[in-house]
Each structure stands twice: as C-alpha cells, then as structure tokens.
Amino acid sequence: MSRLSVRKTYKLFIGGAFPRSESGRSYAVTSSKGDFLANASRASRKDARDAVTAARKAFPGWSGATAYNRGQILYRIAEMLEGRRAQFVDELGVGKKAALEQVDAAIDRLVWYAGWSDKITSVYGGANPVAGPYFNLSTPEPTGVVAVIAPADPLLGLVSVVAPVIVTGNTSVVVASEPAPLAAITLAEVLATSDLPGGVVNILTGRQAELAPWLASHMDVNGLDLSGVAAPELAVECEVAAADNLKRVLRGPAEADWAAEPGLDRMTRFLETKTVWHPVGA
C-alpha cells in the first residue's frame, strides 16, 4: 500500500516558535524554472510587531551573555547546519554542486563570526589617554533590536547579514528573501534546536515592500540593514522612516559578493561605544 508523504509547512519564526501569519495569507514559492515548490506564510504588519516585541524581550539576556557564550552558540548553529547539509541542498533550488558550495560557505561563515565573538571588543575597545588621574575606557556595546532585510541569496547571504548582528549581542527581526524563503525557515529550525534563546532571531517571510517600511518606522527598532533592498525608491523610503528615531542604517551595494571575505564592518555598524571614566587608585 502506497502512502502520501507529509508535506512540510513553512511558517514564520517568532520568539522561538513557528506561528502561521495572523492574517492567514500565504504565497506560492517557485523554482528558477517556474515549478511550484511550496506555500510560504505572508507575514503582516501585526506579525512584524510581534517579532519586534519578541526581539526586545530577548535583548537583555542575549546582550548580557558573555561574548564567549555567544560564540559557542554560533558554533553550535554551524554544527547543526553541517548535519542538515542535504536538506539545504534540496531547498536551495540550484544545481547540487553549486548548492553544496553555498551551504559549506554558510557554515564556514558562521564559524568565522563565532571566532570573533570574544575578540571584537579588544579590537574596537581600548584605554584612552587623558590628562589627570583617571582611567578612560571605551567599550563597544550592542545597539539593540536590528531589522534586517535579507538579500536574495537565500542562505549564504542570509547568514552573512544575520550572524554579525547577533554575535555582538543585538537581537534581530529578519525579512527573508521574498522569491526564495524556504532555506530561511529551515535555518530557523536549526536555530530553534541550537541553544539560541527564543527571540534573538525572528524570521518573517512575505512581501519586502510591505514589511520593510513598517520595520523602518518602528520606534522600538534601533538599527536597520537594507542589504536586501534592491529597489532604490524603497531603500530611500526606509532611510527616511528610520530617521525618526535615529536608527543606525546599513545600505549595502546593489550587487554584493557574499562569497567574498566578510571583514568587520557588519559587526561594528550596529555597535555603540560606551566610554567610562574611573579615578586612578579608587
């Protein structure tokens, strides 16, 4: 007797759980050849607000964790991703060789950022020379909740924008690639089983033009990464909306090479510098 396979349901990832969109909407995801792959949830503004609330709730605990612990968790994510390579290869919808290269690059990128977790403060912090009997110390600290509009690259690009945000202690609300969101939700399953506290990463699938301006104008979002916004008009609209509460904004190049050396800019873009004076001998 033959059986029907259980089809996977692609939901949102908010606060460590996998809810459907409160609107009940979905949209069809197709392959590069136009073949139907799955239905993905189409997140609403209400879902975006819920995701920001979850990210804000998770921020004190995540930013208060030791940098070493955050690095351990990113490394654990890489381990879990390594164990599910075959699934990601199937969901990327490209040739097997190219998909394997992308998955391996995403794993390596996570390990790279994990290694920087307890080193970035030493590189960008320091003691400042001052006149008088004082220590003057500058220390980078996370800025808060960062909204990330992920690039079209469904896995390596996604990891390349999310990992630097969270490794430094920020929490995030991510709008996944609109045409290729499936790998993002499978990555969410990895995150949910990798010791990452719920709410540190929240992943929404749906229309970029609907969600990005809403997140840009949200007063409880502290940073905005527009790397995945290809339309110049939408990017400008988001930048203008972000100015209302002085969000830190990162607007990457239109054609980014996600396989290139990442550098440190994405980590430092969403850090604040705290400077402390302390009397010598006190």
Side-chain angles (χ1 to χ4, degrees):
M1 178 178 174
S2 61
R3 63 178 292 273
L4 294 176
S5 58
V6 178
R7 297 293 297 272
K8 181 174 178 178
T9 304
Y10 291 88
K11 303 177 184 178
L12 309 177
F13 183 56
I14 300 175
F18 292 88
R20 289 180 171 86
S21 172
E22 60 84 29
S23 67
R25 299 177 303 173
S26 63
Y27 70 103
V29 180
T30 58
S31 70
S32 57
K33 297 180 180 179
D35 299 325
F36 175 81
L37 296 176
N39 287 312
S41 291
R42 183 175 170 183
S44 67
R45 292 181 176 184
K46 173 64 164 57
D47 296 317
R49 290 197 300 269
D50 290 344
V52 173
T53 299
R56 177 59 62 193
K57 183 178 179 181
F59 178 70
W62 183 244
S63 61
T66 65
Y68 181 74
N69 180 241
R70 290 197 295 267
Q72 285 180 310
I73 291 175
L74 258 71
Y75 190 84
R76 176 61 176 162
I77 296 170
E79 289 180 335
M80 300 292 288
L81 185 53
E82 180 86 37
R84 299 178 68 165
R85 289 169 77 239
Q87 182 178 2
F88 280 95
V89 167
D90 291 339
E91 290 185 339
L92 287 178
V94 297
K96 185 174 182 180
K97 181 180 179 182
L100 278 170
E101 290 176 352
Q102 290 184 34
V103 175
D104 288 346
I107 294 168
D108 294 345
R109 186 63 46 86
L110 282 165
V111 173
W112 191 87
Y113 277 115
W116 270 102
S117 63
D118 57 352
K119 301 173 182 65
I120 192 70
T121 297
S122 299
V123 173
Y124 279 89
N128 308 309
V130 295
Y134 302 98
F135 293 117
N136 184 265
L137 307 173
S138 293
T139 305
E141 293 189 342
T143 193
V145 175
V146 179
V148 178
I149 313 303
D153 188 306
L155 184 60
L156 178 57
L158 176 66
V159 167
S160 297
V161 294
V162 173
V165 167
I166 65 172
V167 75
T168 50
N170 297 294
T171 55
S172 62
V173 176
V174 183
V175 179
S177 166
E178 185 175 329
L182 304 188
I185 297 304
T186 300
L187 180 64
E189 296 171 2
V190 169
L191 300 177
T193 55
S194 61
D195 301 327
L196 187 75
V200 173
V201 176
N202 304 273
I203 298 179
L204 306 174
T205 56
R207 303 303 186 206
Q208 187 182 98
E210 178 182 357
L211 298 171
W214 188 250
L215 289 169
S217 64
H218 198 299
M219 298 302 286
D220 205 25
V221 172
N222 308 105
L224 183 64
D225 184 342
L226 297 174
S227 295
V229 177
E233 300 83 1
L234 179 58
V236 171
E237 179 186 352
C238 290
E239 289 179 321
V240 171
D244 281 344
N245 74 333
L246 303 180
K247 290 179 179 64
R248 288 177 171 265
V249 178
L250 171 61
R251 184 175 173 183
E255 298 293 334
D257 180 9
W258 298 109
E261 179 73 24
L264 304 182
D265 182 63
R266 288 188 171 274
M267 282 188 286
T268 58
R269 184 60 64 96
F270 297 111
L271 288 173
E272 308 284 347
T273 300
K274 180 178 75 175
T275 299
V276 177
W277 293 72
H278 193 281
V280 174

